[in-house]
Amino acid sequence: MAEETKATNPEAPCATENIVVSDVPVAEKPTSTIVEKEAPPQAETEPASVEKPAAEEVAEGEKEKEEASDENKIAESASFKEESNKVDDLIDPEKKALEEFKQLIQEALNKHEFTAPSPPPLAPAKEEEKKVEQPKVEEKKQEEAMPEEKKEEEEPKTEEKEEEEAKTEEKTETCETPAEVPPPPPAAEPVKEEVVEKKVEEKETPPPAAEPSETVVVEKVEEKVEATEEIKETIVHEVTAPAPPPCEEPAASPAEEEKPKEEGGAASPPPPEEVSIWGVPLLADERSDVILLKFLRARDFKVKEAFAMLKSVVAWRKEFKIDELLEEEGIGEGLEKVVYIHGVDKEGHPVCYNAFGEFQDKELYSNTFSDAEKRAKFLRWYIQFLEKNIRKLDFTPEGTCTIVQVTDLKNSPGLLLFKKELRQATNQALQLLQDNYPEFVAKQVFINVPWWYVAYNRMISPFLTQRTKSKFVFAGPTRTAETLFKYIAPEQVPVQYGGLSKVGEEEFTTANVATEEIIKPTCKHTIELPITEAGTLVWEVRVVGWDVSYGAEFVPSAEGGYTWIVQKTRKIGPADEQAICCTFKIGEPGKVVLTFENQTSKKKKLLYRSKTKASE
């Protein structure tokens, strides 16, 4: 039976991981087959501060909480069990996260964010627009600040101010009409304020004038300083308001043009866009909830991260042209025996087998991985294969929407580790699956694992999440069939992996359930198949690894009847490992006795099934 071992990461002593490991041979040193677990990411902390000890205590408390939550996540993933897809079975935080996720998706659909152009190409254009707008704003600010700067420069020069005031008095007398402004008296204070205002409005540099008395100069300077503070706001308005028409029209026209557009958009908003993934429209029915839960679980129910992943997947599917890819034909010739779906596991998940040993065929390997174009074609074929089978899944809350992956490493010593082209294609496929197909694998079983695979697994571990690695099961060559039977019924396991399922089977189907028994070491084991009426008895037997003696005979129920030898006893070696099927026609009731003699010191797994067909 498969053994369970606990692998402890030295970097995270509190975190444990349970990985099923079955009889994996080890080179040189007798080390256990342990997959290293990545240490949980540590939160970045700011340098210690003497002034804020309370902040440090809070940060340490938060860090301890994060470490505790990481340990809980690792413990949950170590004892991984597929979660329910029913919304009613979710806990409150998960329900809340699902609702928030759906709200974000609805807003994105209303705004057509899934079909909008990607942000990166538009970013430079936006920056250029900002750069163009910034100089305009700066120019306006400079124009507005000009009068103030001029005033600041003029204030310290008292002698020039005296001349300016004297000159402005002359101009006001000559330019202004008597109806609007009466001629000011020579020494009145209100007149001085008006003179300052007129000077600022007209922005003219007056010629030198007569020198007034010192007392008048001081008064005028003080009044001017006070007046300038009050007039600053009016200067800005007066400068911008009477600007020439050509400058005003461009500024006003865009605003006027945008208003009708906005009004028109509000009057008839475009309908929300429709986005489908794996044939399931988003937010259409309860099947959509099952899809969204996959993204949430892949991101530990962090809504924003799950939403970002969803948008990325939609964008990738458009870029990869998934809909067109499904219609392509003839892009994976010869690969049907490398990756294929065969049967289901005990929980009803479809089982996908990956037989890398088939790439020992040099012609097949060359046609698949010899150059970048062929590797890209292989990836397209693999995605097409995956898409077609995913669309066959049942995405209802009660249905089965995940698969079991079985990766066979038989006859591939060093193949993945030293074949550069296959290693590159494998890593690319792993990355694509993890980024764009979240939570579609219920269990990943590696069988016929050679000694070098431990090193290879460490190499590909950075491409995998902790949750994904928690689903891994490893089985060495001598435990392959036994490990598969733990998850898949023998009648569903292909005959080449120790099961009873054959392609094109006629006598037995997956509906004919097989019985499992153990043949003890150095013992004889018998099985009786009763026959109640005349007819034909068909039975099928298999001993995993064989190396036992097998024979069959018929014993009639009537007293004094003769025993018939149906199959002579013979020893079947490991090289003859296969299922034996036999048919026996009889006209009287009785029983067929199957005899198995195990002379080895190891127990053996026996599989058998039978049925009776009525005589014609």
Side-chain angles (χ1 to χ4, degrees):
M1 296 295 291
E3 299 176 357
E4 294 186 356
T5 61
K6 294 185 178 179
T8 306
N9 192 328
E11 298 180 2
C14 296
T16 60
E17 180 182 2
N18 296 334
I19 300 177
V20 179
V21 182
S22 301
D23 189 34
V24 181
V26 182
E28 297 180 359
K29 296 182 181 180
T31 57
S32 59
T33 55
I34 298 175
V35 178
E36 290 187 353
K37 179 182 64 56
E38 298 174 359
Q42 297 181 354
E44 295 182 1
T45 57
E46 297 181 355
S49 174
V50 180
E51 298 178 357
K52 299 178 180 181
E56 291 180 1
E57 293 177 0
V58 173
E60 290 178 359
E62 292 177 354
K63 188 173 181 181
E64 291 177 358
K65 290 180 180 179
E66 290 179 359
E67 291 177 354
S69 64
D70 289 340
E71 292 177 7
N72 292 335
K73 290 177 184 177
I74 293 170
E76 291 175 5
S77 64
S79 56
F80 177 78
K81 185 178 180 181
E82 196 170 11
E83 300 91 342
S84 172
N85 288 319
K86 297 180 181 179
V87 177
D88 294 339
D89 294 340
L90 302 176
I91 59 177
D92 291 339
E94 294 176 348
K95 290 181 180 178
K96 184 178 178 182
L98 179 60
E99 290 301 322
E100 292 178 3
F101 194 19
K102 293 168 72 173
Q103 290 177 3
L104 287 178
I105 295 172
Q106 187 62 63
E107 293 175 2
L109 293 174
N110 294 337
K111 297 177 182 178
H112 290 244
E113 293 183 4
F114 289 103
T115 56
S118 56
L122 297 178
K126 290 182 179 179
E127 291 178 0
E128 291 179 1
E129 291 177 1
K130 290 180 181 178
K131 290 180 181 178
V132 173
E133 292 175 357
Q134 286 178 355
K136 292 182 179 179
V137 175
E138 292 177 359
E139 289 177 2
K140 289 183 180 179
K141 290 182 179 178
Q142 290 177 358
E143 291 177 0
E144 294 173 358
M146 283 298 291
E148 298 177 4
E149 293 176 359
K150 288 181 180 180
K151 289 180 65 178
E152 292 175 358
E153 292 176 358
E154 292 172 356
E155 287 176 1
K157 301 177 181 179
T158 55
E159 295 180 357
E160 294 178 0
K161 289 178 182 177
E162 294 171 2
E163 296 174 357
E164 290 174 1
E165 291 171 0
K167 188 66 179 178
T168 49
E169 289 176 2
E170 294 176 1
K171 288 189 176 183
T172 51
E173 292 176 0
T174 56
C175 297
E176 293 180 357
T177 58
E180 294 178 355
V181 181
E189 292 180 358
V191 175
K192 294 177 184 177
E193 294 178 0
E194 290 177 1
V195 170
V196 174
E197 292 178 1
K198 298 298 179 181
K199 177 189 71 63
V200 176
E201 292 173 2
E202 295 174 0
K203 298 182 181 179
E204 294 181 358
T205 55
E211 297 179 358
S213 61
E214 294 179 3
T215 56
V216 175
V217 170
V218 173
E219 290 176 358
K220 287 181 179 180
V221 171
E222 292 176 355
E223 290 171 359
K224 183 174 181 181
V225 172
E226 295 174 358
T228 52
E229 295 178 356
E230 298 175 356
I231 299 171
K232 281 181 181 178
E233 296 181 359
T234 59
I235 290 171
V236 173
H237 294 294
E238 291 173 357
V239 170
T240 55
C247 298
E248 293 179 356
E249 290 178 358
S253 59
E256 292 175 358
E257 291 176 359
E258 289 176 2
K259 287 181 180 178
K261 289 181 181 179
E262 293 175 358
E263 292 174 359
S268 58
E273 63 179 328
E274 296 182 1
V275 177
S276 297
I277 299 183
W278 304 298
V280 179
L282 293 181
L283 305 184
D285 50 33
E286 60 183 4
R287 296 181 304 160
S288 176
D289 293 344
V290 177
I291 297 291
L292 301 186
L293 284 173
K294 290 182 178 293
F295 286 90
L296 287 171
R297 285 170 177 147
R299 293 296 178 263
D300 296 327
F301 281 88
K302 297 176 182 178
V303 178
K304 292 183 179 179
E305 293 183 12
F307 181 65
M309 184 183 187
L310 175 62
K311 293 184 69 176
S312 174
V313 169
V314 173
W316 173 81
R317 293 176 67 83
K318 291 179 180 178
E319 180 183 355
F320 210 79
K321 299 180 180 179
I322 296 296
D323 294 335
E324 298 178 12
L325 179 62
L326 290 172
E327 303 299 328
E328 292 187 23
E329 296 181 0
I331 61 174
E333 296 179 359
L335 296 174
E336 298 82 5
K337 57 184 178 181
V338 178
V339 182
Y340 55 91
I341 298 288
H342 189 102
V344 296
D345 73 343
K346 293 180 179 179
E347 297 178 358
H349 302 98
V351 182
C352 177
Y353 291 87
N354 302 269
F356 290 115
E358 297 293 337
F359 285 124
Q360 282 195 338
D361 184 344
K362 294 182 179 179
E363 183 178 356
L364 178 61
Y365 184 88
S366 177
N367 293 337
T368 309
F369 303 111
S370 60
D371 55 42
E373 183 179 352
K374 292 179 179 178
R375 289 194 294 272
K377 187 178 179 181
F378 167 75
L379 289 176
R380 288 182 62 79
W381 171 82
Y382 190 80
I383 295 299
Q384 182 193 59
F385 167 83
L386 196 61
E387 284 284 334
K388 288 182 177 180
N389 287 281
I390 284 178
R391 290 172 184 260
K392 297 177 183 178
L393 298 175
D394 183 6
F395 286 102
T396 60
E398 299 83 9
T400 300
C401 59
T402 53
I403 63 176
V404 171
Q405 287 269 9
V406 177
T407 301
D408 179 20
L409 301 176
K410 186 178 182 180
N411 298 327
S412 57
L415 182 63
L416 296 178
L417 190 60
F418 302 110
K419 293 287 186 180
K420 178 182 177 182
E421 299 83 4
L422 180 56
R423 186 175 69 250
Q424 291 176 350
T426 303
N427 290 340
Q428 290 176 3
L430 285 173
Q431 194 64 50
L432 283 177
L433 294 178
Q434 181 152 312
D435 292 343
N436 302 289
Y437 295 89
E439 298 300 313
F440 273 101
V441 177
K443 186 71 65 178
Q444 176 71 64
V445 184
F446 294 89
I447 59 176
N448 294 311
V449 177
W451 61 267
W452 53 264
Y453 193 77
V454 175
Y456 176 75
N457 186 69
R458 290 175 181 173
M459 183 174 62
I460 66 174
S461 290
F463 295 94
L464 307 172
T465 63
Q466 184 62 40
R467 181 181 174 87
T468 300
K469 289 186 287 187
S470 69
K471 303 174 184 180
F472 285 4
V473 177
F474 299 92
T478 60
R479 297 290 181 88
T480 289
E482 184 178 351
T483 303
L484 289 178
F485 295 157
K486 185 176 180 180
Y487 306 102
I488 309 170
E491 61 271 11
Q492 297 281 355
V493 177
V495 67
Q496 64 267 31
Y497 297 128
L500 298 175
S501 179
K502 299 177 183 178
V503 178
E505 180 66 48
E506 296 180 357
E507 291 293 344
F508 292 95
T509 64
T510 54
N512 301 118
V513 180
T515 303
E516 301 179 49
E517 292 187 9
I518 298 295
I519 304 176
K520 296 180 180 180
T522 63
C523 289
K524 182 181 289 188
H525 189 84
T526 59
I527 297 173
E528 296 182 356
L529 305 176
I531 300 174
T532 58
E533 58 184 7
T536 302
L537 178 67
V538 183
W539 69 90
E540 186 176 32
V541 296
R542 179 170 194 168
V543 177
V544 179
W546 281 104
D547 198 18
V548 298
S549 297
Y550 161 73
E553 59 184 10
F554 171 72
V555 179
S557 299
E559 295 182 1
Y562 294 95
T563 300
W564 295 4
I565 297 176
V566 179
Q567 289 181 331
K568 292 182 179 181
T569 302
R570 63 187 180 92
K571 187 173 184 179
I572 303 175
D576 302 327
E577 183 177 350
Q578 57 184 353
I580 298 176
C581 186
C582 187
T583 301
F584 181 67
K585 186 177 181 179
I586 189 64
E588 60 179 321
K591 61 182 178 181
V592 173
V593 179
L594 308 179
T595 304
F596 302 88
E597 186 174 356
N598 180 16
Q599 296 180 353
T600 67
S601 59
K602 296 180 180 180
K603 64 181 181 180
K604 301 289 182 178
K605 170 78 73 173
L606 169 64
L607 310 173
Y608 70 93
R609 56 183 173 175
S610 64
K611 64 180 180 179
T612 303
K613 296 190 296 184
S615 58
E616 298 178 357

